[in-house]
Amino acid sequence: MKYNLLGNTGLLVSEICFGTMTFGSSGQWAAIGGVEQKGANDLMKTVVDAGINFVDTANVYSFGQSETLLGQSIKDLGLSRNDLVIATKVRGKMGEGKNNIGLSRFHIFASVEESLKRLQLDHIDVLYVHGVDPFTPVEEIMRSLNDIVLSGKVRYVSVCNWPAWMVMKANGLADKHGWNKFVGMQYFYSLSGRDIEREILPLAKEENLAVMPWSPLAGGFLSGKYTRESEKAGNSRRDSFDFPPINKERAYDIVDVLNEIGQNYQVKA
């Protein structure tokens, strides 16, 4: 396994990050995964045996079940905490209360506490802000993230699905005040979704920010099991949860080219 530094930090993470969005089966997430504890344990063992040390989850995945299953897997398998880099996220709605959503100081601190309980950990290695909160000032978000890092409950902060200008504004404010800055960014990126090449990737290169792509196979569409003749692969999560959205005609063209390349190397999809 190859390991890279996480942006401009000294933290080494595996080039492949294991995502646990399929852990749990609550709400809309039931259409995506349904992995329960035994399956989670089996997957985590395979991951660790392959040398992967970077594991990604989120509080909203199956409304906390993903974090709970991941935390229990770490315990069941007796994995060393110091051998893992655990990332989770904050912003999504986690309850009926008026403040159980967003990136306010109130919700960030409450969310981290709840995530730590579910994960059965005393700290989170990487905390992502999971999308834009149009109501909370960026200054409040960055000050709160800095304070949660200083509390020892989070090691690094990163951002997910923000526009480039907002990332730059946030890190500019953090730099001005001496706060912890975003060290990485997570976005949808695949052969069928290359929008981040316009502004996000140039920003990452200029500011030495790590880039963590999500859904590199476009929700399985680029696996080769989807064709123009049969848009539904059968028993696939995209059949019932068509996400992420892509230009399917363009994606079919991409799959055609990938199949040609595979044939040249005698590799099937």
Side-chain angles (χ1 to χ4, degrees), residues 15 22 42 57 71 81-82 114 208 211 223 237 250 262-263:
E15 191 170 53
T22 59
D42 291 343
T57 185
R81 177 66 182 91
N82 289 334
E114 292 302 314
N208 194 18
V211 176
S223 65
R237 71 187 190 197
R250 180 183 297 173
Q263 289 172 6

Side-chain angles (χ1 to χ4, degrees), residues 3 7 16 60 105 119 129 159 169 190 212 242 253 264 268:
Y3 299 86
I16 297 175
V60 293
R105 183 181 184 87
L119 288 164
V129 291
V159 61
K169 177 180 179 179
S190 75
M212 283 71 73
D242 198 12
D253 291 340
N264 291 335
K268 293 183 178 180

Side-chain angles (χ1 to χ4, degrees), residues 20-41 44 56-74 88 93-94 114-115 117-120:
T20 63
M21 189 170 69
T22 59
F23 285 15
S25 57
S26 178
Q28 69 182 33
W29 310 102
I32 298 174
V35 175
E36 300 302 337
Q37 195 62 63
K38 183 182 183 305
N41 290 0
M44 279 298 295
D56 178 279
T57 185
N59 58 351
V60 293
Y61 295 165
S62 285
F63 301 104
Q65 288 182 16
S66 176
E67 289 180 325
T68 299
L69 290 165
L70 173 58
Q72 191 61 44
S73 284
I74 294 171
T88 191
K93 186 176 179 63
M94 289 298 293
E114 292 302 314
S115 287
K117 290 177 184 177
R118 288 188 289 265
L119 288 164
Q120 302 182 61

Side-chain angles (χ1 to χ4, degrees), residues 60-116:
V60 293
Y61 295 165
S62 285
F63 301 104
Q65 288 182 16
S66 176
E67 289 180 325
T68 299
L69 290 165
L70 173 58
Q72 191 61 44
S73 284
I74 294 171
K75 184 176 181 179
D76 289 349
L77 297 173
L79 301 178
S80 170
R81 177 66 182 91
N82 289 334
D83 290 337
L84 298 172
V85 177
I86 304 297
T88 191
K89 308 179 185 76
V90 58
R91 188 199 65 86
K93 186 176 179 63
M94 289 298 293
E96 296 304 318
K98 300 299 182 184
N99 289 303
N100 281 335
I101 187 173
L103 294 172
S104 67
R105 183 181 184 87
F106 181 99
H107 189 237
I108 288 174
F109 273 74
S111 179
V112 166
E113 291 289 352
E114 292 302 314
S115 287
L116 289 173

Side-chain angles (χ1 to χ4, degrees), residues 175-188:
D175 193 49
K176 175 183 177 181
H177 293 288
W179 299 336
N180 282 272
K181 299 192 291 186
F182 292 135
V183 301
M185 306 185 290
Q186 189 180 78
Y187 295 87
F188 171 50

